[in-house]
Amino acid sequence: MDYETEIQPIFNANCIECHGGSGGLTLTSYSTLMSGDVVIPYNGAESLLIRKLRGTASGMQMPNNQDPLDESVIQLIENWIDEGAVGTISYMDY
């Protein structure tokens, strides 16, 4: 599974309006996503990111003030995490 072509576009379309760098979780790149503790590689079900998307973590379900993501989209992200949450860090991330 390719982070840049399959996962990042989901965040770009649904998440970075709020999580684009104004503090807290930033989902604008692989390196900013992985710099926090919301993804547990090889354990999507327990990753905070998946639990927030499904509404099973404390607090608001994400994305906030929008319809929840389709389960197939959440499952795609979970599968990526279960496969190790592999991505690429480019020089532009620094």
Side-chain angles (χ1 to χ4, degrees), residues 1 7 10 44-45 50 53-54 69-83:
M1 193 170 298
I7 305 303
I10 297 168
I50 297 302
L53 291 173
R54 286 205 171 108
L69 297 181
D70 189 80
E71 179 57 30
S72 65
V73 174
I74 297 171
Q75 189 61 56
L76 180 70
I77 299 168
E78 185 173 1
N79 290 346
W80 169 74
I81 295 171
D82 286 342
E83 291 176 6

Side-chain angles (χ1 to χ4, degrees), residues 14-35:
N14 300 284
C15 308
I16 63 171
E17 183 176 323
C18 296
H19 295 287
S22 59
L25 177 63
T26 303
L27 297 173
T28 56
S29 70
Y30 176 77
S31 64
T32 58
L33 167 65
M34 298 306 287
S35 67

Side-chain angles (χ1 to χ4, degrees), residues 32-48:
T32 58
L33 167 65
M34 298 306 287
S35 67
D37 59 358
V38 298
V39 171
I40 304 169
Y42 303 104
N43 192 349
E46 293 300 316
S47 293
L48 181 59

